[in-house]
């Protein structure tokens, strides 16, 4: 008898207290790496200015979420 499909895993839910979701953090990281030489602050500012993001994080909050 062949083994069945692997059990589905549930992804952890994001906290409702967070102002930015994980996808937005990843977007900032990728934008900074690709277009701005790794400057996360400039990437966040640019994405807010272009209205891709609505809110920003302080540098310490952003650094904590990134790591």
């Amino acid at each position: 008898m062949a083994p069945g499909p692997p059990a589905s895993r549930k992804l952890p839910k994001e906290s409702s207290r967070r102002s930015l979701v994980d996808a937005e953090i990843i977007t900032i990281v990728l934008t900074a790496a690709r277009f701005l030489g790794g400057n996360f602050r400039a990437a966040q500012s640019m994405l807010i200015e272009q209205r891709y993001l609505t809110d920003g994080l302080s540098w310490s909050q952003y650094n904590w979420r990134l790591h």
Side-chain angles (χ1 to χ4, degrees):
M1 184 168 153
S8 63
R9 292 184 185 173
K10 290 187 178 183
L11 296 174
K13 291 185 179 180
E14 294 184 8
S15 172
S16 61
R17 297 181 299 165
R18 292 183 177 176
S19 61
L20 292 178
V21 295
D22 292 338
E24 292 172 325
I25 298 295
I26 293 169
T27 302
I28 294 170
V29 170
L30 293 176
T31 302
R34 177 68 174 101
F35 301 109
L36 299 169
N39 189 337
F40 300 120
R41 289 183 187 182
Q44 180 176 335
S45 296
M46 183 187 79
L47 291 169
I48 289 172
E49 184 178 299
Q50 297 295 321
R51 297 187 181 174
Y52 287 105
L53 301 176
T54 55
D55 289 332
L57 292 175
S58 70
W59 181 246
S60 63
Q61 289 173 328
Y62 176 76
N63 196 28
W64 185 81
R65 290 277 303 272
L66 182 62
H67 295 284

